[in-house]
Amino acid sequence: MAIKKRMLGLIGFVGAGALALGLAGCAGGDTDSGSDGDTGGEGDLVTVGFVAVGPEGGWRNANEQAIKDAFTQEAGFDLKYAPAASPTDQKSQIDAFATFVNDEVDVILLTATEASGWDDSLELAQEAEIPVILLDRGVDSSDDLYVTRIAPDNVNVAGAVGDWAVETFPEGANYFTLEGVPGLSVVNERNEGFEAAIAGADGWNKIGAQTANWTADEGKSVIETVLKENPDLQFVFAQNDEMGIGAAAAVTAAGLVPGTDVKIATIDGTTPALEALAAGDLSFVAQYNPFFGDLAVDAVNAALAGEEVEKNIIVPGENFDSPEAGQAAIDDGKGF
Ligand code: AHR
């Protein structure tokens, strides 16, 4: 019940957001990107500088591809993709951001590798009157410095994991949290949502938390160590699928049965996670919906047309809580 209530709240909010964006005007922009000129229609292309994370894992690949699929020349855009030198290299992002400002792109999309350290860049863009839209990751800077943030609600998504965990472990559990890369907004928001959801329940004992940097290898390595020191581990909250799949491998390597001896819940909803759920290796997968290219296009068009844009545009998702739900999600093409 609690999980369903959360989703209904989200959909209502998205409805309002979409309505505000639905009033968006057409694309603005006045620069010719020097493309092949075959724009297939009237007017110049809107140049979009995408300061991205780059190759990182299944969710990132799906999300960045969704942005590329939405910002096409046919749709009136010249998308300039700038992946970070590595998923934790903020300097390369700051450099790419400055280059986009210098090149006077029409709008900048930013998925930050760090939450802090963006004030100077955002102020530079504001002085140049270049709107900035955050995708997925938030930043610590004032929200006066960017148009909006488009992302699923990490607090709610992680809260759904906590709600499920409380229902699954009515007596509480000894648990461990595998965190994403330190310093990210989504890591803090997911901790906030999960911990708030279990706060009122009895018997919850946090063995610890540690980053596994979003990867399966590190997730396996961390949980191998945790199991050696805490054979009474019952539950792992993995903040993304890859770490959760790694944790399941560690449980198996320890001669235990994932889903029986140790339950694992993850966030993202990639196909490998849905397959692991269907196989019983994972017990709960909360979708962190990566498909918001159209919402980003609407926000860009609204920003360039001077329309009002919600400060936070929430992308809805769903949750998968059984092997049958995992298999059905795969059959219905909900993986990525
Ligand atoms: O910011 C979103 C997170 O980044 C995803 O949950 C994770 O898989 C990715 O690395």
Side-chain angles (χ1 to χ4, degrees):
M1 175 58 186
I3 294 174
K4 284 193 174 58
K5 194 168 59 177
R6 283 181 191 281
M7 293 315 298
L8 286 174
L10 277 180
I11 290 168
F13 187 83
V14 169
L19 180 62
L21 291 172
L23 301 175
C26 60
D30 54 8
T31 53
D32 183 336
S33 67
S35 64
D36 60 16
D38 175 17
T39 60
E42 293 296 311
D44 294 331
L45 294 173
V46 172
T47 56
V48 180
F50 181 15
V51 180
V53 171
E56 183 187 50
W59 188 91
R60 185 66 53 205
N61 295 341
N63 179 250
E64 294 193 352
Q65 190 55 52
I67 298 301
K68 292 172 183 173
D69 292 346
F71 287 89
T72 60
Q73 289 205 357
E74 291 72 22
F77 299 99
D78 175 20
L79 182 72
K80 300 175 184 302
Y81 175 64
S86 79
T88 56
D89 184 322
Q90 182 184 38
K91 183 184 182 311
S92 61
Q93 288 198 314
I94 290 173
D95 292 346
F97 192 105
T99 300
F100 284 143
V101 173
N102 190 54
D103 292 350
E104 297 180 340
V105 298
D106 294 311
V107 62
I108 293 174
L109 306 177
L110 170 63
T111 303
T113 55
E114 289 272 349
S116 59
W118 287 101
D119 288 357
D120 292 348
S121 302
L122 294 171
E123 285 162 7
L124 203 63
Q126 192 167 71
E127 283 156 24
E129 297 182 342
I130 298 175
V132 177
I133 288 171
L134 306 183
L135 303 181
D136 169 26
R137 306 269 176 82
V139 295
D140 295 343
S141 304
S142 164
D143 67 10
D144 293 336
L145 292 173
Y146 56 86
V147 173
T148 187
R149 174 188 179 187
I150 306 173
D153 184 320
N154 284 274
V155 172
N156 257 295
V157 170
V161 176
D163 289 344
W164 170 86
V166 167
E167 288 171 11
T168 303
F169 295 96
E171 307 297 317
N174 302 318
Y175 75 97
F176 192 91
T177 299
L178 289 172
E179 296 178 343
V181 171
L184 288 176
S185 60
V186 299
V187 171
N188 301 331
E189 292 159 354
R190 292 176 186 182
N191 277 326
E192 177 189 340
F194 177 79
E195 294 295 335
I198 68 170
D202 296 329
W204 283 85
N205 168 39
K206 186 170 190 175
I207 291 173
Q210 188 176 333
T211 184
N213 290 304
W214 303 126
T215 70
D217 287 349
E218 287 197 43
K220 181 172 188 284
S221 167
V222 169
I223 296 303
E224 280 174 342
T225 302
V226 169
L227 279 169
K228 286 188 185 116
E229 296 162 5
N230 307 273
D232 57 352
L233 175 69
Q234 293 168 280
F235 174 61
V236 175
F237 168 36
Q239 291 190 346
N240 87 328
D241 290 347
E242 282 86 351
M243 296 189 293
I245 288 168
V251 169
T252 302
L256 301 171
V257 180
T260 303
D261 300 315
V262 181
K263 295 189 190 304
I264 301 158
T266 74
I267 292 176
D268 277 345
T270 58
T271 299
L274 295 174
E275 289 168 343
L277 178 65
D281 291 339
L282 296 179
S283 299
F284 184 87
V285 177
Q287 185 188 61
Y288 187 71
N289 188 347
F291 302 112
F292 46 84
D294 291 348
L295 286 175
V297 165
D298 289 346
V300 163
N301 287 336
L304 294 177
E307 304 285 346
E308 187 66 32
V309 180
E310 302 277 348
K311 264 300 168 192
N312 280 289
I313 299 171
I314 304 297
V315 183
E318 59 184 297
N319 301 306
F320 308 104
D321 61 2
S322 69
E324 297 74 19
Q327 188 56 56
I330 294 165
D331 296 345
D332 296 344
K334 293 180 179 177
F336 47 85

